[in-house]
């Protein structure tokens, strides 16, 4: 993707193979590829196809699953409290309000839960600010830290900015920026 973007920036049109690759990636990242120009598709994909820092993933998993002890983590492999809206797609919350139909999504594996969470942050309109912040940090050649990107999570919880602050505090208190950087080498 980055090679195609660089070539596009240098004035080179993508060939049919590159266009097919971009369109496939666009569908995977939930874009209406038919409505986007090549430039819009490339720009949007470059913004969406990027990492979520391990420190942020770890803290949100711990926070949302009660450190792995929640009913949804244990019975549905759902570490992030992600919802689904098809009957039978997950576990019905015990205290779901009358008239609501959502369920907490069920995953076959924890890995699927993590992949879904990352795809959610990289595609859902609620996390547009996270993606814009990440793109600005990339452009300024600044590190992508969990504490910084947490600023884009105010819509993850009804608690808004209070939730963001708690995530940032958990990352700092557990020294996760240093610990995860040592593990990944980045």
């Amino acid at each position: 993707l980055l090679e195609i973007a660089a070539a596009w920036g240098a004035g080179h049109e993508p060939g049919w193979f590159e266009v097919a690759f971009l369109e496939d990636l666009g569908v995977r990242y939930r874009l209406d590829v038919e409505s986007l120009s090549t430039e819009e598709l490339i720009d949007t994909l470059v913004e969406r196809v990027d990492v979520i820092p391990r420190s942020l993933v770890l803290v949100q998993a711990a926070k949302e699953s009660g450190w792995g002890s929640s009913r949804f983590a244990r019975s549905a492999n759902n570490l992030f409290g992600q919802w689904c809206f098809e009957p039978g797609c997950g576990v019905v919350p015990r205290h779901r309000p009358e008239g609501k139909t959502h369920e907490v999504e069920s995953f076959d594996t924890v890995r699927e839960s993590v992949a879904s969470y990352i795809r959610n942050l990289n595609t859902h309109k609620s996390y547009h600010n996270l993606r814009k912040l990440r793109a600005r940090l990339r452009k300024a050649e600044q590190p992508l830290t969990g504490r910084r990107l947490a600023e884009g999570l105010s819509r993850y919880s009804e608690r808004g900015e209070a939730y963001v602050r708690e995530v940032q505090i958990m990352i700092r208190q557990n020294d996760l920026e240093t610990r995860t950087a040592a593990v990944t080498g980045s």
Side-chain angles (χ1 to χ4, degrees):
L1 173 60
L2 294 176
E3 288 174 12
I4 294 170
W8 176 266
H12 301 288
E13 291 280 329
W16 68 268
F17 183 79
E18 288 85 6
V19 169
F21 169 78
L22 292 171
E23 289 176 352
D24 179 58
L25 200 55
V27 169
R28 286 182 23 217
Y29 278 80
R30 299 178 179 155
L31 297 173
D32 180 6
V33 297
E34 300 299 321
S35 70
L36 299 172
S37 68
T38 301
E39 182 176 13
E40 292 169 326
L41 180 59
I42 290 170
D43 289 346
T44 304
L45 283 171
V46 166
E47 185 178 288
R48 287 187 177 205
V49 183
D50 205 340
V51 300
I52 303 297
R54 286 183 181 189
S55 59
L56 187 59
V57 176
L58 290 169
V59 163
Q60 282 202 276
K63 186 163 188 49
E64 297 297 323
S65 70
W67 296 91
S69 67
S70 74
R71 175 170 71 111
F72 306 122
R74 289 180 288 118
S75 67
N77 291 315
N78 189 329
L79 300 182
F80 302 95
Q82 293 184 54
W83 289 6
C84 57
F85 298 91
E86 299 287 324
C89 63
V91 179
V92 176
R94 286 189 183 116
H95 303 291
R96 181 174 69 181
E98 182 90 21
K100 297 291 183 179
T101 60
H102 69 277
E103 297 180 13
V104 176
E105 191 166 359
S106 202
F107 296 97
D108 290 333
T109 66
V110 169
R111 179 183 292 264
E112 287 179 16
S113 172
V114 174
S116 179
Y117 156 82
I118 291 171
R119 185 175 47 254
N120 187 33
L121 293 184
N122 281 330
T123 61
H124 198 279
K125 64 183 178 183
S126 292
Y127 312 114
H128 177 77
N129 289 340
L130 179 144
R131 295 188 298 274
K132 286 293 187 193
L133 172 59
R134 182 175 61 191
R136 283 193 306 273
L137 291 171
R138 281 256 185 244
K139 188 173 184 175
E141 297 181 4
Q142 301 220 348
L144 303 180
T145 66
R147 283 173 58 190
R148 282 300 307 273
L149 291 186
E151 294 170 18
L153 293 177
S154 62
R155 296 189 63 195
Y156 198 91
S157 166
E158 293 174 347
R159 298 182 51 247
E161 292 304 318
Y163 178 85
V164 168
R165 283 190 303 278
E166 286 177 13
V167 167
Q168 291 172 322
I169 288 167
M170 287 177 71
I171 291 170
R172 189 186 75 239
Q173 285 178 337
N174 290 287
D175 195 25
L176 291 177
E177 301 290 20
T178 304
R179 292 173 192 266
T180 57
V183 171
T184 63
S186 58

